[in-house]
Amino acid sequence: MTKRRKTVLWGTLALWTMSACLHGQDTGGLRGQVTDPSGAAIPAAQISLRTSGGTAATSETGEIGTYFFANLPAGTYTIRISAAGFAPYESPTLNIKAASSSTFDVRLRLGSSQQEITVADANQVDVDPSQNANATVLQGQVLDALSDDPEDLRSDLMALAGPMAGPDGGQLYVDGFSNGQLPPKGSIREVRVNSNPFSAEFDKIGYGKIEILTKPGTDKLHGSDFAQFDTSTLDARNPFGTMKPSFLSQQYDGDVSGPINAKTSLFLDYTYRRQDDHALVNARILNASLVPTRLIQAAPMPNTRLSVSPRVDYQFSPNVTLQARFTYARNGNDGVGIGQFNLPITGTTSRSNNYSAQATATWLVNHATVNETRFQFTRSDMATSGISNAPVINVAGAFAGGAATTGSSFTDQDAYELQNYTTRTRGAHLMRFGARLRGTLQNTGTDQNFNGTFYFSSLDAYAATLAGVSQGLPWLETIANGGGAFQYAITTGTPFASAGQVDFAPFFQDDWRLRPNVTLSMGVRYEIQNQISDEADISPRVGFAWGFGKKPGTQTPRYVLRAGFGTFFDRFGIAQALNAERLNGINQRRYVIPNPNFYWVNTPATLPLPVAQPVTTYGVDSHLAAPRAYESMIALERQWPRNITTAITYVVARGVHELRTRNINAPLPGTYVFGDPTSGDYPLGKRDPLNLYESSGVFKQTQVVANLNLRLNAKFNLFGYYMWARASTNTDGVNSFAANSYDASSEWGRSLYEVRHRVLFGGSVELPYAIRLAPSINYYTPMPYNILIGQDFNGDGQNNDRPSYATKADNPAYV
């Protein structure tokens, strides 16, 4: 750690220590925890404090069921607590004393939470950092309205979260664990989207964050079953297809919940789904007479999914509760990779098994401190096989066929995650600190591209090649007739590789209620991982919320002005570490041969590859730094009558050290002659490509989001947003190559993950006669398209060259 980083860190911690000792003496505080009958924490419970003059303050319990009010004027309050699936609680004689902090814990009973006392406070703007108005909480009927299909449910949640900054997409947490598998909808109690985006507890940028909390057991026996069947009867025909293929989806869900004894409860859910789907192939191929013809075909893609997940909650003592959850999921997919230009012969079959065991212990240390320890172990195995091991044929702009690049492969992965978090209140401060340790061990065996790939520039070149082979013409004559591939790539060697990765991240977060209407949040996170030289990174976070324009007779603000800034780091993935080990020039060798003087229909048992052919290797830049994004936000939230809230949010993100791959041994500019594999001056002397994972990319992203949330009453709940975004970058991820290895300036432009306009609208409306409407609209404009010609004119081994503008001088016949 540099001296400057140490100074900033210790200076920030000193500020927190000083601020924790400063709190008002003329007001009091209130804290507590809300639990279910088994003693398990209830997050997102709605809490309202009222005086004779109206609502004084509202809040919501956090992830471990705790709540906190600071700077409350001394007096008598009525506290009202409600949560989905539980009977509401009310106590009219709660005394708050000056210069003291009271504790009030509540254990809710099972029952209905829909009654008038919670309606008025269900949708209020608040200066609490987790109560940002552009966050969305899904529970009850709104959650029920989402799709029961696992893939559709994931898509709905990702769309609701919106695009996060950078190329990595949304992030999913299940019961506090990262990289979680989406559980069946029947086991989900609540979904929180984009809550508290600048908290130091989380590593990724807060926008795009999805937190899922699963259901605990109940004190009485309950159960439900669900069956759903979908067919293609009402589906529209794909406009690119000539006929509508059949479709059948069968899904069965069920759960059972109840007590095991006085201290233990069980919740068990299962889901099974089978889909008989099809993928549309729309390609140009050659018929038996080598005449180009259009192929439009619906190729079958059946898939199955089975998931079983029991959860046990145990009250070890009045202050300690234990939660354990085990999940088994099995997936089977056929025809993976088929569609568009990819012919059915390129499809693969995959089978996977996933096991996950989670345990959480919550300890109420004292009236002001709660400690939570979580541990998760996951094991997954996946096997993939192809239909054929013939060479892959890739014809630019026409089709990909022959076989899949993957013959037979497997991946076995063991991963663990250990967390220990402590929440403590002190006066006007709510402090949370702890650490997370993660480790992954992955063993793989893959023969990807062991069968080789021929790349053709056009369908005519492929036809000329087949004609020459069938007629037994000399290879030079076939080339003269316009035949021959412009590139051949193949991998040989040992298919097995393994790698391990560990990362560790402690954090400290302090939410300081300076005044009843002002909150200052400060946090810092420290991250370290192996595999790269840049192992240690410090991530400061700060947030501010100011409520103003009080509603008459209440302490509830009409407006909340919110701002935040944070640094967020990403991790270098284990997949890249494995690839660098596998393709190190010793374990496996990848050959890229421009303009090969051969072509074969079936991969020969002994490949006639000269020893002098270049070998492509992969490596990790010794100066690679963890990708980091600097994100800032300002938002104005407005409370309207009848439980309507709006928010306008402006988000700016700047990313540096973004990952990409570059051939550092590409021919120097102007020295390579297309069609002559012996030409070119190479920096390393030999012609072997060296693809290096490096962190030289940058991105800029701007987002403007307008949120609307209407909770008029218990039967009417609508939400939605409009987002405008602009994202520019010179890399689209770790596996992207620049068209010119020595000049990345031409790469700067609209990012492939940019969605310029997006509109999402959803909710639940209950009508008479038990009829419920669940509107769901998700519209977004297309993402940018990267135009490539599918050839390698500069000899860097990548077929990603772009077309250039033509002039009249390039074509003298042009008039």
Side-chain angles (χ1 to χ4, degrees):
M1 184 186 299
T2 64
K3 182 177 181 181
R4 180 181 179 183
R5 283 182 172 179
K6 288 182 178 180
T7 303
V8 172
L9 177 60
W10 291 114
T12 305
L13 292 177
L15 175 62
W16 281 324
T17 303
M18 294 173 60
S19 65
C21 300
L22 301 175
H23 54 89
Q25 301 297 316
D26 56 345
T27 58
L30 178 67
R31 63 176 63 86
Q33 185 182 38
V34 180
T35 58
D36 63 16
S38 68
I42 300 178
Q46 303 293 328
I47 302 177
S48 170
L49 288 179
R50 294 174 180 266
T51 64
S52 58
T55 302
T58 60
S59 185
E60 187 177 80
T61 56
E63 186 176 310
I64 57 175
T66 57
Y67 67 91
F68 174 70
F69 293 97
N71 297 332
L72 294 173
T76 301
Y77 292 80
T78 296
I79 184 170
R80 296 170 176 175
I81 303 176
S82 65
F86 297 91
Y89 175 89
E90 179 173 348
S91 175
T93 56
L94 183 64
N95 294 318
I96 302 297
K97 298 180 180 179
S100 67
S101 181
S102 304
T103 301
F104 192 76
D105 299 329
V106 176
R107 180 166 295 185
L108 299 182
R109 295 180 293 104
L110 292 173
S112 174
S113 63
Q114 297 179 359
Q115 73 167 26
E116 69 281 357
I117 66 170
T118 62
V119 171
D121 303 312
N123 189 35
Q124 303 284 334
V125 297
D126 193 272
V127 295
D128 188 283
S130 63
Q131 292 291 97
N132 48 301
N134 49 13
T136 303
V137 179
L138 305 178
Q139 55 184 218
Q141 294 181 352
V142 179
L143 181 60
D144 293 339
L146 296 180
S147 174
D148 295 286
D149 182 88
E151 277 73 24
D152 291 343
L153 177 60
R154 175 181 287 272
S155 298
D156 291 344
L157 294 178
M158 290 298 177
L160 183 61
M164 65 174 290
D168 294 328
Q171 51 191 302
L172 184 66
Y173 297 86
V174 178
D175 288 332
F177 296 99
S178 62
N179 302 319
Q181 295 289 326
L182 182 68
K185 196 183 78 170
S187 66
I188 298 176
R189 176 176 65 186
E190 178 181 304
V191 178
R192 301 178 64 84
V193 179
N194 294 335
S195 175
N196 199 359
F198 292 94
S199 171
E201 179 180 348
F202 300 98
D203 51 351
K204 298 291 187 67
I205 292 178
Y207 295 105
K209 180 180 64 182
I210 302 169
E211 300 173 76
I212 294 178
L213 304 173
T214 59
K215 294 179 180 178
T218 57
D219 61 350
K220 293 184 180 180
L221 184 64
H222 294 274
S224 65
D225 279 300
F226 169 83
Q228 177 175 293
F229 302 89
D230 292 333
T231 67
S232 58
T233 304
L234 300 178
D235 291 350
R237 176 180 62 84
N238 190 307
F240 296 101
T242 57
M243 60 177 295
K244 182 174 66 175
S246 62
F247 172 80
L248 176 62
S249 175
Q250 310 170 51
Q251 182 170 337
Y252 307 91
D253 288 329
D255 62 73
V256 61
S257 175
I260 297 177
N261 54 43
K263 294 185 176 182
T264 312
S265 63
L266 170 69
F267 184 91
L268 172 67
D269 66 82
Y270 77 91
T271 180
Y272 173 79
R273 189 204 64 183
R274 176 181 175 84
Q275 283 187 341
D276 295 313
D277 203 353
H278 290 76
L280 179 66
V281 176
N282 189 347
R284 294 172 62 243
I285 62 172
L286 301 176
N287 62 14
S289 302
L290 302 184
V291 176
T293 182
R294 174 70 64 180
L295 174 65
I296 299 178
Q297 178 183 353
M301 292 179 55
N303 61 83
T304 60
R305 173 187 172 91
L306 171 67
S307 175
V308 179
S309 179
R311 166 176 164 166
V312 175
D313 291 87
Y314 175 64
Q315 185 177 357
F316 187 79
S317 70
N319 293 336
V320 179
T321 59
L322 302 178
Q323 169 194 320
R325 186 169 181 263
F326 176 80
T327 301
Y328 168 71
R330 184 183 67 202
N331 294 274
N333 298 275
D334 296 332
V336 179
I338 300 175
Q340 298 181 351
F341 288 165
N342 296 329
L343 303 184
I345 194 65
T346 65
T348 60
T349 297
S350 70
R351 300 289 184 267
S352 66
N353 296 281
N354 298 276
Y355 310 85
S356 174
Q358 301 173 346
T360 301
T362 304
W363 175 27
L364 185 62
V365 181
N366 53 48
H367 70 281
T369 308
V370 177
N371 179 267
E372 189 172 23
T373 301
R374 305 171 182 158
F375 179 77
Q376 173 180 252
F377 176 79
T378 60
R379 168 167 291 177
S380 61
D381 59 79
M382 183 178 69
T384 303
S385 60
I387 300 175
S388 169
N389 63 351
V392 180
I393 310 300
N394 192 309
V395 182
F399 75 90
T405 58
T406 300
S408 298
S409 65
F410 74 88
T411 300
D412 295 334
Q413 177 175 290
D414 292 339
Y416 63 85
E417 181 172 346
L418 176 63
Q419 304 175 7
N420 185 268
Y421 297 157
T422 298
T423 303
R424 178 174 174 78
T425 58
R426 179 183 174 87
H429 295 263
L430 175 62
M431 293 171 284
R432 186 166 171 83
F433 52 90
R436 182 189 69 186
L437 174 68
R438 295 187 301 186
T440 302
L441 175 63
Q442 192 173 107
N443 299 302
T444 64
T446 176
D447 55 3
Q448 184 170 4
N449 206 33
F450 274 42
N451 49 342
T453 301
F454 287 97
Y455 295 91
F456 293 87
S457 60
S458 66
L459 198 58
D460 292 338
Y462 178 58
T465 304
L466 294 185
V469 171
S470 63
Q471 298 172 21
L473 300 178
W475 187 253
L476 291 179
E477 186 174 346
T478 300
I479 295 296
N481 293 335
F486 71 83
Q487 188 180 91
Y488 176 72
I490 190 170
T491 303
T492 64
T494 303
F496 305 104
S498 63
Q501 184 165 301
V502 178
D503 65 77
F504 177 68
F507 77 95
F508 184 90
Q509 177 76 27
D510 181 13
D511 297 325
W512 181 13
R513 188 69 70 100
L514 292 168
R515 300 179 60 186
N517 64 328
V518 178
T519 298
L520 176 63
S521 300
M522 298 177 291
V524 65
R525 185 179 183 88
Y526 178 86
E527 298 189 2
I528 184 172
Q529 75 160 101
N530 64 340
Q531 303 288 5
I532 60 177
S533 58
D534 177 32
E535 296 180 336
D537 301 289
I538 297 179
S539 173
R541 316 278 174 84
V542 62
F544 175 79
W546 170 42
F548 59 96
K550 295 180 182 178
K551 296 171 62 176
T554 72
Q555 297 296 318
T556 304
R558 288 182 181 271
Y559 300 90
V560 171
L561 180 64
R562 201 179 298 270
F565 172 82
T567 304
F568 301 84
F569 290 90
D570 204 353
R571 300 293 95 201
F572 181 72
I574 191 173
Q576 285 67 49
L578 270 169
N579 206 39
E581 177 183 345
R582 184 183 296 114
L583 293 172
N584 59 3
I586 300 175
N587 296 333
Q588 288 187 11
R589 290 173 172 261
R590 185 173 187 267
Y591 300 90
V592 178
I593 304 173
N595 304 304
N597 59 355
F598 53 82
Y599 175 76
W600 43 69
V601 178
N602 295 307
T603 304
T606 302
L607 296 175
L609 292 175
V611 177
Q613 289 292 347
V615 178
T616 301
T617 58
Y618 278 75
V620 180
D621 185 6
S622 59
H623 300 292
L624 186 144
R628 66 197 66 187
Y630 304 100
E631 184 173 52
S632 55
M633 173 273 294
I634 186 169
L636 179 63
E637 303 169 359
R638 172 69 157 95
Q639 178 71 57
W640 300 89
R642 302 196 64 183
N643 280 347
I644 301 175
T645 61
T646 57
I648 299 292
T649 307
Y650 178 74
V651 184
V652 177
R654 298 291 183 264
V656 297
H657 300 304
E658 294 300 306
L659 299 177
R660 61 181 172 193
T661 311
R662 184 171 66 94
N663 180 6
I664 64 172
N665 194 39
L668 296 175
T671 64
Y672 178 79
V673 178
F674 180 69
D676 182 6
T678 63
S679 63
D681 294 336
Y682 295 83
L684 302 182
K686 53 185 179 179
R687 292 185 295 149
D688 297 340
L690 175 54
N691 296 330
L692 207 64
Y693 294 119
E694 58 182 28
S695 54
S696 56
V698 296
F699 79 84
K700 295 181 180 181
Q701 187 176 36
T702 302
Q703 297 173 325
V704 179
V705 188
N707 290 83
L708 173 66
N709 204 326
L710 298 87
R711 300 184 188 179
L712 302 185
N713 51 51
K715 298 181 179 181
F716 191 96
N717 190 336
L718 296 177
F719 58 86
Y721 68 79
Y722 163 76
M723 175 184 292
W724 176 91
R726 173 176 291 172
S728 299
T729 183
N730 58 8
T731 174
D732 287 303
V734 64
N735 293 316
S736 63
F737 288 79
N740 185 344
S741 298
Y742 297 101
D743 183 10
S745 61
S746 62
E747 301 299 310
W748 182 260
R750 293 180 62 189
S751 169
L752 292 182
Y753 53 82
E754 178 193 278
V755 178
R756 184 60 59 88
H757 302 280
R758 182 189 289 269
V759 177
L760 184 139
F761 180 76
S764 176
V765 179
E766 188 174 342
L767 302 178
Y769 306 105
I771 299 175
R772 188 174 68 209
L773 301 179
S776 179
I777 299 174
N778 182 17
Y779 166 80
Y780 55 91
T781 53
M783 290 177 284
Y785 184 75
N786 191 14
I787 301 177
L788 305 175
I789 60 177
Q791 295 196 45
D792 179 18
F793 287 113
N794 55 16
D796 62 358
Q798 300 299 317
N799 304 323
N800 62 349
D801 293 352
R802 297 188 178 93
S804 59
Y805 291 103
T807 65
K808 184 176 181 179
D810 298 322
N811 185 4
Y814 175 80
V815 179

